[in-house]
């Protein structure tokens, strides 16, 4: 909760007028405790994993030939009931695993110094903190995910996530409750190392959710803005990991490709990549011919 009762008090304390963004933040957060603000992340999980997979659900149900040529595994079709069943299981996992974890982790957030106060961070500060967060999360996720593919980790925990050999947007967080907690810890490491403002913390988790949904969407669109990100794996990269399934010892990284390249766990993907690309190009050509 901000230590000011009015905008004027905040401006006197800062020695300047509040920016437009700071004014909005004051009006929204002034009467809310830090605990309530932190718990917004739980709300974001429910909202974003409900709304953002919907476009991919619509594409799957429409079955348009013009869109299906961008589907990574076109032979797999999911019914509406199948996708809704996945969604319900994910929401229940959030209720009994993710929600309590975020609530109980609040003392750690206070301890590391994630702030809700004014002034707001600059764009440069937010950008570089997000860069640190994504790099740290990607590296930690690589090793935790790789550990999940050990015989014990896979059979006891990770096999649930691999029930989808052709992933869909709703399946991004579809996993054993223990896996969600274990891999979720990787997302907290960046803010733990470089704590910032609560808004940056929110933005980080929102972007991470959007990336996970795109990666599991089952579609690879050439116009996706994510293609501009250096070393970004994307849907096609992670789709291969699901396609191979439990035997997969390739493509463990969550966002980028450099960890798999450095540690030699992308050899299977690189070997098969040309085969898959030729197959998709053939399907796209057939679709284009039929649509003419």
């Amino acid at each position: 909760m901000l230590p000011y009762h009015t905008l004027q008090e905040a401006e006197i304390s800062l020695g300047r007028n509040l920016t437009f963004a700071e004014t909005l933040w004051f009006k929204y957060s002034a009467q809310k405790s830090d605990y309530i603000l932190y718990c917004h992340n739980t709300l974001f999980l429910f909202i974003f994993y409900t709304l953002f997979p919907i476009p991919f659900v619509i594409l799957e149900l429409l079955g348009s030939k013009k869109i299906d040529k961008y589907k990574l595994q076109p032979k797999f079709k999911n019914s509406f009931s199948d996708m809704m069943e996945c969604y319900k299981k994910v929401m229940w996992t959030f209720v009994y695993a993710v929600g309590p974890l975020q609530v109980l982790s609040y003392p750690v957030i206070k301890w590391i110094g994630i702030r809700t106060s004014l002034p707001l961070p600059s764009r440069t500060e937010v950008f570089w903190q997000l860069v640190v967060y994504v790099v740290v999360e990607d590296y930690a996720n690589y090793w935790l995910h790789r550990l999940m593919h050990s015989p014990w980790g896979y059979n006891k925990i990770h096999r649930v996530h691999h029930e989808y050999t052709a992933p869909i947007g709703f399946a991004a967080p579809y996993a054993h409750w223990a896996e969600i907690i274990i891999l979720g810890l990787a997302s907290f490491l960046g803010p733990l190392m470089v704590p910032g403002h609560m808004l940056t913390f929110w933005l980080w988790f929102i972007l991470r959710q959007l990336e996970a949904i795109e990666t599991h969407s089952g579609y690879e669109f050439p116009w996706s803005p994510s293609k501009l990100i250096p070393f970004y794996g994307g849907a096609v990269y992670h789709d291969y990991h699901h396609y191979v399934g439990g035997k997969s010892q390739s493509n463990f990284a969550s966002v980028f490709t450099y960890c798999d390249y450095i540690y030699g766990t992308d050899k299977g993907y690189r070997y098969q990549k040309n085969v898959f690309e030729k197959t998709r190009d053939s399907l796209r050509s057939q679709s284009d011919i039929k649509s003419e």
Side-chain angles (χ1 to χ4, degrees):
M1 184 178 294
L2 296 179
Y4 318 112
H5 296 290
T6 65
L7 286 171
Q8 289 72 24
E9 286 184 22
E11 290 175 340
I12 291 173
S13 177
L14 294 178
R16 60 171 174 79
N17 293 331
L18 299 184
T19 65
F20 177 72
E22 288 172 336
T23 301
L24 291 179
W25 178 247
F26 177 89
K27 291 180 178 179
Y28 184 77
S29 67
Q31 301 302 315
K32 295 180 176 67
S33 68
D34 289 354
Y35 177 74
I36 294 298
L37 293 173
Y38 171 64
C39 287
H40 278 47
N41 261 342
T42 304
L43 181 63
F44 295 153
L45 283 174
F46 285 95
I47 292 175
F48 283 91
Y49 279 118
T50 297
L51 297 180
F52 279 87
I54 289 178
F56 298 110
V57 171
I58 295 173
L59 294 178
E60 184 84 2
L61 295 177
L62 288 177
S64 168
K65 292 179 180 178
K66 292 183 179 180
I67 297 298
D68 278 357
K69 65 182 181 180
Y70 301 115
K71 188 173 172 61
L72 294 170
Q73 298 188 47
K75 293 183 179 180
F76 283 87
K77 291 292 183 181
N78 297 281
S79 67
F80 180 75
S81 60
D82 289 338
M83 290 186 282
M84 287 301 99
E85 184 64 23
C86 175
Y87 170 73
K88 287 190 292 183
K89 289 180 179 179
V90 165
M91 291 299 110
W92 272 114
T93 305
F94 285 166
V95 169
Y96 67 74
V98 180
L101 174 66
Q102 291 214 339
V103 171
L104 294 174
S105 61
Y106 173 69
V108 177
I109 297 302
K110 291 295 293 182
W111 174 68
I112 64 177
I114 291 181
R115 64 185 182 87
T116 61
S117 59
L118 295 173
L120 295 184
S122 66
R123 294 177 182 177
T124 302
E125 180 183 346
V126 171
F127 173 78
W128 286 113
Q129 284 179 336
L130 290 176
V131 169
V132 171
Y133 295 173
V134 71
V135 170
V136 169
E137 192 274 345
D138 187 68
Y139 189 80
N141 186 283
Y142 172 86
W143 288 106
L144 290 173
H145 188 188
R146 191 169 175 177
L147 182 64
M148 287 290 178
H149 275 265
S150 65
W152 186 91
Y154 187 86
N155 292 328
K156 297 295 184 181
I157 299 175
H158 194 50
R159 62 175 178 81
V160 176
H161 186 62
H162 274 274
E163 289 178 10
Y164 283 88
T165 55
I168 57 176
F170 281 136
Y174 179 82
H176 191 286
W177 64 268
E179 176 175 345
I180 290 180
I181 292 175
I182 292 170
L183 295 184
L185 293 175
S187 299
F188 280 93
L189 286 179
L192 182 66
M193 295 169 60
V194 186
H197 197 275
M198 185 65 74
L199 284 175
T200 310
F201 190 70
W202 288 356
L203 181 58
W204 158 235
F205 278 93
I206 290 171
L207 292 175
R208 184 66 184 89
Q209 291 163 31
L210 296 180
E211 185 277 330
I213 292 169
E214 182 194 26
T215 299
H216 290 82
S217 67
Y219 291 86
E220 181 81 351
F221 298 111
W223 55 79
S224 173
S226 60
K227 288 188 172 295
L228 301 175
I229 304 174
F231 306 109
Y232 183 74
V236 65
Y237 191 78
H238 193 67
D239 199 270
Y240 173 82
H241 179 82
H242 277 264
Y243 177 80
V244 177
K247 297 180 180 180
S248 177
Q249 293 299 317
S250 182
N251 296 21
F252 293 117
S254 61
V255 181
F256 302 116
T257 60
Y258 69 91
C259 278
D260 284 297
Y261 177 78
I262 292 173
Y263 299 110
T265 49
D266 66 344
K267 294 179 180 178
Y269 170 72
R270 285 190 283 131
Y271 178 78
Q272 294 289 344
K273 185 178 180 182
N274 290 334
V275 176
F276 285 119
E277 287 180 346
K278 289 178 181 178
T279 302
R280 285 199 304 272
D281 290 342
S282 176
L283 290 171
R284 289 173 182 174
S285 297
Q286 293 174 18
S287 177
D288 291 339
I289 291 172
K290 291 179 180 179
S291 61
E292 288 179 354

